[in-house]
Amino acid sequence: MTSYIKIFDTTLRDGEQSPGATMTSAEKLEVARALARMGVDIIEAGFPAASPDDLEAVRRIALEVGNPPRGAALSESKGQPDARVPVIAGLARANKSDIDKAWEAVKEAQKPRIHTFLATSPIHMKHKLKMDPEEVVQRVAEMVAYARSLCADVEFSPEDAGRSDPEFLYVVLGEAIKAGATTLNIPDTVGYTTPDEFYKLIDGIIKNTPGMHEGITVSVHCHDDLGLATANTLAGIRAGARQAEVTVNGIGERAGNTSLEEVVMALKTRHAVFGLETGIDTKQIARVSKLVSNYTGIPVQPNKAIVGANAFAHEAGIHQDGMLKHNLTYEIMRPEDVGVSQSKLVLGKHSGRHALRTRLAEMGYSLDEAELDLAFARFKELADRKKVITNADLEALIADEFYRPRDVYHLDGLQVACGTLGMPTATVRLRGPDGKIHVHATTGTGPVDATYKAIDHIVKTPNTLLEFNIHAITEGIDALGEVTVRIQGENGLHTMDAQSEIEHPRVFGGHGADTDIIVASAKAYLNALNKLIIARTEGVEARQHDYGVMLG
Ligand code: KIV
Ligand code: ZN
């Protein structure tokens, strides 16, 4: 059996489908590019049947990320599929219409995959599907065969396998193999199983499914309702699964999915135990984690394994003492292995353009001249206010400058008066889509409230602020403040969940960074509002607009 574990990333499908994690099409494309650069084997780009916008977003990813960079294509690979290009998968319920849409969306990829699913647990078959087990078996055989008539790479998932009868699973999966499925994915949809149980389930499937052979990849897909997703995924891998379905930061419905970084780093750090490899360049993990967090507006909890702000911080005095004597006393991984830089003193006020370019290149950013000009201007502005600029500051600055949609409204100026002596008042100056300057001043319960009210008065896009988070990126009184917000438009746009078939209102995340936390707050809010306006007013066409500046 191969020692290679394929990493199937479903951040853009199972992750993005969770209420509140909506990304715009341009953001999804940028995340897909980052996943491909990091070495993900399969990108599940979305659920094309959810809406024409979702189909279009998957199609763009298939075209642009699922093919070799222009010019590099066939000459380099001599007509063979390019090993560096990821498989692009689209999810479909087990019906012809969904499968047609998934195929429509992924067919332009060099390596397309249709992923279809049908529930197999007694509770799902009876209450959700209202189908007999025999009907389920027949539908799986028919729909896998239909998907296979369109696409050579077909994945089938028996939804809620964790609560299904294993004997019934063997029958269903045997039919899926007969009908042409090439990957059998076993989901613990509701995060119910324990590692021992999940090990037995996967072991039983590999040993007892009729027609199982070396050419079939068994995959695991776990949810974290009991906090066991990573443990279950690793148990499934020990039992012989060779594909792990994961999301960045473990985002996903309810308690989320198995997190990519935990599985990858467990396999790497405990290589002696597992003896298995992935194709992930782990040094890119921290950056991709940040990207997903900024785009979704879902912050990463500080104590989150691998990517949390405290994952490599050793604050307790006793730990620091041990660390200074030898860093392996309390550290099982090196921060640089996941792309967290330890270097503190990076750049200061007198550092030049060249030093900035070099440092950004070391961090993995390749900027063209125009982008570097922008980054340098922001850097100088920051250096005037902050003595020492660390890699973390640079990450935030890059995210703020480049990872955002094109501006509909741009923050041109902001002044606030607050404190105990008067009413908190904000004066906001915005440049509108027509280039005109709009100014409004208003009061509020605090400086952020006043600022947001002034912005609302100008932008006139009613919405509900669902979440507001603020944190300091580095220590010190001059630290950069980073704000993430999530908003939901009134009478807003909706997206459909593939499994529950429930429509959720689309929620837009925004991110802003500045040494002035009110400015950071204003930027984050405008960032989210711009996405909402683009999505609402310009429809599918809007999703085809590129961001103002993109990193390569
Ligand atoms: O959790 C689940 O069952 C899924 C399937 C669609 C694979 O996400
Ligand atoms: Zn799932």
Side-chain angles (χ1 to χ4, degrees), residues 287-302:
R287 186 142 57 89
V288 178
S289 157
K290 190 99 188 84
L291 182 69
V292 169
S293 170
N294 286 347
Y295 281 172
T296 55
I298 300 178
V300 176
Q301 75 195 55

Side-chain angles (χ1 to χ4, degrees), residues 174-409:
E175 286 301 318
I177 294 178
K178 241 199 283 174
T182 40
T183 299
L184 299 177
N185 175 49
I186 312 304
D188 181 21
T189 304
V190 290
Y192 180 70
T193 62
T194 66
D196 280 356
E197 286 169 346
F198 203 60
Y199 178 96
K200 280 195 203 120
L201 182 67
I202 301 300
D203 186 53
I205 285 169
I206 292 174
K207 290 183 175 146
N208 299 312
T209 300
M212 182 66 78
H213 59 86
E214 280 284 308
I216 300 286
T217 301
V218 174
S219 166
V220 284
H221 174 118
C222 299
H223 282 263
D224 208 27
D225 299 66
L226 292 172
L228 294 172
T230 299
N232 285 342
T233 297
L234 293 171
I237 287 172
R238 274 187 33 249
R242 287 295 174 265
Q243 173 176 295
E245 300 203 351
V246 292
T247 62
V248 174
N249 300 336
I251 64 167
E253 259 178 302
R254 306 183 311 277
N257 287 60
T258 306
S259 71
L260 178 148
E261 59 278 5
E262 291 176 17
V263 170
V264 168
M265 289 313 289
L267 293 178
K268 183 174 167 131
T269 309
R270 305 306 312 276
H271 191 265
V273 173
F274 294 100
L276 300 168
E277 276 79 39
T278 71
I280 299 295
D281 172 8
T282 61
K283 291 192 167 60
Q284 300 191 34
I285 284 178
R287 186 142 57 89
V288 178
S289 157
K290 190 99 188 84
L291 182 69
V292 169
S293 170
N294 286 347
Y295 281 172
T296 55
I298 300 178
V300 176
Q301 75 195 55
N303 57 321
K304 166 81 179 63
I306 319 293
V307 291
N310 294 348
F312 293 98
H314 299 269
E315 250 157 346
I318 183 169
H319 285 202
Q320 272 186 13
D321 183 51
M323 286 288 293
L324 290 174
K325 287 180 179 139
H326 196 298
N327 61 358
L328 288 182
T329 44
Y330 286 101
E331 222 168 61
I332 58 164
M333 297 165 275
R334 292 179 313 158
E336 49 272 37
D337 288 345
V338 298
V340 173
S341 170
Q342 275 182 313
S343 78
K344 285 263 177 214
L345 209 111
V346 186
L347 299 165
K349 195 176 170 138
H350 302 294
S351 307
R353 208 167 178 276
H354 181 70
L356 179 67
R357 187 205 293 272
T358 310
R359 172 54 65 177
L360 288 173
E362 281 165 15
M363 291 164 65
Y365 296 103
S366 64
L367 273 60
D368 64 25
E369 291 305 315
E371 289 167 343
L372 189 65
D373 283 348
L374 274 174
F376 190 60
R378 285 293 305 270
F379 165 74
K380 278 290 177 196
E381 205 182 280
L382 181 61
D384 278 342
R385 288 186 272 163
K386 192 171 187 295
K387 262 202 228 118
V388 171
I389 297 177
T390 66
N391 282 11
D393 293 322
L394 289 180
E395 292 275 6
L397 190 148
I398 292 288
D400 197 46
E401 192 62 49
F402 299 113
Y403 295 163
R404 58 189 169 92
R406 71 188 170 81
D407 281 339
V408 180
Y409 285 91

